[in-house]
């Protein structure tokens, strides 16, 4: 179902009064990165590679998120150079050369004026010029001009090179393992170090990712819009849920909403798990026939306008929660509520995690699923963290140690998964043997139930906003929605 | 939308009376490969790697097609070893080790008995054993047994090693370019050459791909079933086509059929192009609003039960072809019909191509789009070959020089794309200038029309079968279908 994503975002701009134009936002993002790099620095960044599906068929192209963040360009074979010390051409984009044969096969390639208009950069050049451009630059030669005509455009960087102060800034991102091959940025850094004596290399990851962590007005509006599509998809999935249907039939109803609303893709593969499949965190087969009396857990969201929300609900296949399902659903809701209360500016996500965890511990003790609320027993059923950033990526970049501030977007997603296999996997100690023996009746009662409630939130200047409020959430809301279908 | 694909295929078996069980078919495929390799040989083959979508989210997994062909196993981290000279354990599958933590996150991993039942191999071992297994084998040591207990299982291969006759057979597939990194099979071959003096390496590509080129009874039934789903998706797309709708809305109707019928994925990204977008062969944005009077070209098919069909139609957005659209549509249909007549056992696909091309040349002359039917002028509008094999891959493996025989599956897909840019791209010669001048009025008349008719065919013992016959195809059929919607 996936297409290149950006056109949807373009049409967003006009639809979002007050949110500002995308191109203004892109310019402001680059300006902040350039402030951090300084006039002695140069940033180089590349588009993502195309990924093979099978033989000569590729997966639909997914642009590198930082390239999207800095340029809005979703075309492969693109590179961005930022030279903050330049006089007028501080941002230079390199796009694929025109190629009529390729364009007849694959579609239109952005022309220079189109790329300039879409990204708002100062100058657009052809991708075939990039190597020569960098070589001239490093040799302190005018680029594409005679020496006599040189205007001093690159003087700040040339002076930095001459003084041995020039810095190459790259968004290195995740460090590769000792045995991994060197990713592109690391290889490029190595080649440049070898070829340009005196050039130092700096890591711009924290700069770019730090900016991405706090959403602009444009991004906030785009995230709300993307979340709305995902919320409507969840509602369609609730409507399509019926005993004896296959999980994939509900997935079809869900993802059809993405496509018909212009979202080019999911933000992550849909998780549609009924009965025991709800206890598998990233279950992705969707091949089971669901039965009356079971829960269906759906964790799914679209990628739209460059933003991915993240939403999970567990609803009853036949419309009514059983007593045990209701108890677990109410418990994760209460944990989420506690987390929401702790999600205030100045706190950290660890405070959100802690507040929810206390509720879960007490609740599990109450249900007989743990025997000691001060121990780590609850981790048998409560198996993952509940906060992550959202944005261009579903697990978006950001520093967890940074206090919450307005503009940060994240999920709160407590879940409980009652799997007998989790007991079997416990280390064989006297404490664990006693624990297993005592919780046996409760585990039998709640066995194979998986519940997770996950909403997408934005912290604003006036408090926490639940972006996914449109999806029924409490037991009463969900049962009423299921009863009112058709 | 993509999930792992195999469960759909399992449910196929029972649905296809007379087609035989999948596991029997898999065993027969391996037996034929082993006959070709011989008792001195060993084949090693691996599953495909997981591909990154963005950050920590991967694309849905697509298994290597040859691994699917030989084992039916869609799980990553799998390896197959064939030792045709072994006494009883001729086929040995290596699957991921059990891992409760991983399985809670990603889902169930096949147990040894499950992998054995699904694939019908002689023995299943754990992936962690593979390196030790190969090292023991190359040292002519019993594997997992004391020497005193060795049963002589591997004697044929051990003897071949001792005699310097042992051969390592790998499905190398496409040769990498001079500057490319060595793909896995090539790297493995290099390491084995270095470590096992006397071992020779042979290429099993033609053996495996030659088998894949002729479909078994099981594969024929699976391909028909996959084609049926794609055909129904095209019908749904025709129903959803209306002036002023966006291309992506029609795509939603199309792909919903894949999902709700249990197809885990497209076989290739859907092409949904209206108006001038129909002249881009692999247009993949689907973001345009279609207008009354235009054609909509859809080229799309599901991946189901391990098989991908390939179907294209160009239908009128408002239900009726204009005179010019009708002329071009009738011409590609006539070309396809001519190709079908040439698609008989003993002919080659070149004969099919040639028969269709003659019709196209004469037709274009008749419409004024070429001035000389004996020249290559027609290639300005008729820009691609019209035959390719189908099967596990949409552009399936196979030798084009091999004469057609029953069991071969392929498409015939003539297309015409009237783009003014195609004239601009012609070399500036006196002949081309004259050609451009003469066809100008006809090009103005047919400008921006793109038509392609593509059906999936199977050559059987009794002749050519149009697997995609369920999709309206002639002008009359399509107009009647469009009139009868709602």
């Amino acid at each position: 179902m996936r297409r290149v994503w950006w056109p949807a975002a373009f049409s967003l701009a006009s639809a979002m009064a007050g949110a500002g134009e995308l191109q203004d936002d892109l310019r402001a993002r680059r300006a902040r990165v350039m402030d951090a790099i300084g006039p002695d620095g140069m940033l180089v960044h590349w588009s993502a590679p195309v990924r093979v599906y099978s033989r000569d068929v590729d997966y639909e192209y997914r642009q590198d998120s930082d390239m999207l963040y800095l340029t809005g360009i979703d075309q492969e074979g693109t590179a961005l150079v930022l030279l903050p010390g330049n006089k007028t051409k501080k941002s230079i984009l390199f796009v694929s050369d025109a190629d009529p044969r390729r364009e007849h096969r694959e579609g239109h390639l952005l022309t220079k004026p189109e790329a300039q208009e879409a990204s708002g950069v100062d100058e657009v050049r052809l991708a075939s010029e990039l190597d020569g451009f960098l070589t001239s630059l490093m040799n302190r030669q005018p680029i594409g001009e005679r020496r006599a005509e040189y205007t001093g455009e690159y003087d700040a960087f040339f002076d930095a090179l001459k003084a041995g102060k020039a810095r190459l800034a790259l968004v290195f991102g995740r460090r590769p393992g000792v045995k991994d091959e060197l990713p592109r940025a690391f290889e490029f850094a190595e080649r440049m170090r070898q070829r340009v004596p005196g050039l130092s290399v700096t890591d711009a990851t924290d700069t770019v990712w730090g900016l991405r962590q706090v959403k602009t007005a444009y991004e906030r509006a785009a995230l709300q819009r993307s979340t709305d599509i995902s919320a409507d998809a969840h509602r369609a999935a609730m409507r399509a849920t019926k005993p004896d249907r296959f999980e994939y039939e509900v997935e079809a109803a869900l993802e059809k909403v993405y496509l018909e609303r212009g979202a080019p893709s999911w933000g992550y593969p849909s998780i549609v798990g009924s009965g025991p499949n709800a206890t598998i965190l990233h279950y992705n087969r969707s091949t089971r026939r669901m039965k009356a009396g079971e829960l269906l857990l759906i964790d799914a969201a679209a990628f739209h306008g460059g933003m991915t929300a993240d939403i999970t609900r567990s609803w009853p296949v036949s419309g009514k929660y059983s007593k045990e399902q209701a108890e677990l659903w109410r418990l994760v809701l209460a944990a989420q509520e506690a987390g929401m209360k702790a999600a205030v500016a100045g706190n950290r996500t660890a405070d959100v995690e802690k507040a929810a965890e206390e509720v879960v511990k007490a609740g599990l003790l109450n249900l007989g699923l743990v025997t000691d609320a001060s121990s780590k027993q609850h981790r048998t059923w409560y198996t993952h963290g509940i906060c992550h950033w959202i944005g261009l990526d579903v697990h978006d970049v950001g520093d967890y140690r940074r206090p919450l501030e307005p503009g940060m977007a994240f999920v709160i997603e407590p879940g409980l998964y009652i799997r007998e296999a989790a007991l079997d996997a416990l280390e064989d100690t006297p404490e664990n043997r006693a624990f297993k023996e005592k919780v046996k009746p409760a585990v039998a009662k709640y066995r194979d139930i998986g519940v997770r409630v996950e909403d997408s939130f934005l912290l604003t200047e006036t408090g926490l906003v639940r972006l996914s409020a449109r999806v029924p959430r409490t037991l009463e809301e969900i049962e009423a929605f299921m009863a009112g279908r058709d």
Side-chain angles (χ1 to χ4, degrees), chain A:
Chain A
M1 66 175 283
R2 229 160 305 110
R3 292 183 304 280
V4 191
W5 71 289
W6 200 248
F10 272 115
S11 62
L12 261 187
S14 55
M16 297 192 306
E21 284 295 327
L22 172 59
Q23 285 71 22
D24 293 341
D25 208 48
L26 293 167
R27 268 186 284 263
R29 296 174 195 178
R30 288 190 297 264
R32 296 179 69 178
V33 172
M34 288 196 279
D35 279 349
I37 294 171
D40 297 340
M42 168 177 71
L43 178 135
V44 183
H45 198 70
W46 302 268
S47 53
V50 173
R51 310 285 186 182
V52 173
Y53 166 74
S54 185
R55 262 176 75 79
D56 60 351
V57 175
D58 295 321
Y59 283 105
E60 289 99 337
Y61 184 64
R62 173 55 155 84
Q63 181 58 289
D64 173 83
S65 295
D66 296 316
M67 180 60 90
L68 284 180
Y69 185 73
L70 294 174
T71 70
I73 299 294
D74 72 343
Q75 189 167 286
E76 58 136 338
T78 303
L80 173 70
V81 173
L82 296 181
L83 283 158
N86 273 14
K87 288 186 173 171
T88 58
K89 300 170 185 171
K90 295 171 192 291
S91 52
I92 309 171
L93 193 70
F94 294 77
V95 295
S96 290
D97 299 47
D99 180 343
R101 286 177 69 95
R102 180 175 164 201
E103 292 182 59
H104 173 43
R105 302 197 80 82
E106 297 170 25
H108 178 65
L109 292 168
L110 292 171
T111 62
K112 284 187 187 185
E114 286 167 346
Q116 190 145 18
E117 197 192 332
S119 63
V121 295
D122 299 325
E123 189 182 30
V124 178
R125 291 172 171 266
L126 296 177
S128 57
E129 299 174 53
L130 179 60
D131 286 354
F133 175 91
L134 292 172
T135 306
S136 295
L137 195 74
M138 293 304 154
N139 284 295
R140 309 202 303 267
Q141 296 295 326
I143 290 155
E145 302 156 309
R146 296 191 184 170
R147 288 181 197 194
E149 291 165 355
Y150 177 61
T151 57
E153 177 66 43
Y154 301 91
D155 272 0
F157 192 70
F158 286 173
D159 289 345
L161 278 168
K162 195 166 181 178
K165 294 189 304 175
R167 282 172 295 105
L168 170 65
L170 299 171
V171 183
F172 286 103
R174 198 179 162 278
R175 274 59 179 149
V178 173
K179 290 182 176 177
D180 294 345
E181 294 205 1
L182 279 189
R184 181 167 195 164
F186 294 81
E187 269 228 331
F188 181 77
E190 194 52 34
R191 296 179 74 84
M192 293 297 275
R193 261 192 219 106
Q194 292 165 348
R195 282 161 181 74
V196 188
L199 181 72
S200 65
V201 174
T202 63
D203 185 3
T205 307
D206 284 343
T207 300
V208 176
W209 291 10
L211 288 172
R212 281 177 58 185
Q213 194 172 4
V214 182
K215 270 63 182 172
T216 63
Y218 182 90
E219 288 180 291
R220 294 180 190 195
L223 181 58
Q224 179 65 70
R225 198 171 153 110
S226 181
T227 310
D228 285 346
I229 292 170
S230 300
D232 287 345
H234 273 258
R235 294 169 69 95
M238 285 184 180
R239 278 189 213 102
T241 304
K242 286 202 180 117
D244 301 321
R245 283 214 174 146
F246 284 96
E247 293 160 344
Y248 59 71
E249 294 179 273
V250 179
E251 191 172 325
L254 179 102
E255 296 196 0
K256 180 165 191 274
V257 175
Y258 299 172
L259 269 175
E260 70 192 2
R261 297 279 289 277
S265 167
W266 41 246
Y268 53 97
S270 300
I271 299 164
V272 182
S274 63
N277 289 340
T279 69
I280 299 168
L281 302 184
H282 296 143
Y283 171 73
N284 70 351
R285 291 189 170 251
S286 308
T287 48
R288 186 173 175 275
R289 198 189 276 268
M290 60 193 95
K291 298 191 199 117
E294 294 176 342
L295 291 185
L296 177 65
L297 182 151
I298 292 197
D299 185 345
F303 182 57
H304 182 273
M307 287 286 156
T308 296
D310 197 350
I311 306 174
T312 309
R313 297 287 185 269
S314 304
W315 58 80
V317 168
S318 38
K320 285 265 180 199
Y321 289 89
S322 72
K323 181 170 167 292
E324 291 75 21
Q325 292 163 351
E327 285 168 346
L328 290 177
W329 185 247
R330 288 208 163 104
L331 178 49
V332 291
L333 278 179
Q336 193 195 37
E337 291 284 351
M340 288 164 66
K341 287 207 184 80
V344 295
N347 266 358
R348 290 177 169 79
T349 57
D351 299 309
V352 178
E353 300 267 358
K354 204 171 161 191
E357 195 164 19
E358 291 308 316
V359 172
V360 165
K361 283 177 175 181
L364 289 175
L365 186 67
N366 196 32
L367 299 178
L369 284 161
V370 303
T371 60
D372 179 357
S374 66
S375 73
K376 291 187 171 175
Q377 287 175 358
H378 65 291
R379 298 220 176 143
T380 314
W381 322 119
Y382 186 69
T383 56
H384 57 79
I386 66 164
C387 277
H388 62 77
W389 316 112
I390 52 175
L392 276 159
D393 285 286
V394 62
H395 296 153
D396 209 36
V397 296
D399 182 353
Y400 279 82
R401 294 177 306 165
R402 183 170 167 185
L404 293 173
E405 62 181 276
M408 289 186 176
F410 49 89
V411 303
I412 306 178
E413 54 161 337
L416 291 166
Y417 315 96
I418 314 303
R419 302 157 53 244
E420 283 184 323
L423 286 182
D424 301 339
L426 289 176
E427 209 186 333
D428 190 24
T429 64
E431 295 75 29
N432 282 340
R433 278 197 293 275
F435 165 56
K436 286 194 216 182
E437 196 50 40
K438 279 204 176 159
V439 298
K440 214 178 235 175
V443 172
K445 194 173 156 193
Y446 296 100
R447 186 177 53 196
D448 286 344
I449 301 179
V451 288
R452 177 162 71 249
V453 61
E454 177 177 36
D455 283 274
S456 295
F457 295 94
L458 177 71
L459 192 60
T460 71
E461 290 67 13
T462 55
L464 193 67
V465 175
R466 184 149 57 87
L467 300 169
S468 47
R470 209 187 273 197
V471 192
R473 177 169 153 275
T474 66
L475 183 140
E476 294 72 21
E477 285 167 0
I478 290 174
E479 290 193 344
F481 184 89
M482 298 290 282
R485 298 175 300 170
D486 322 303

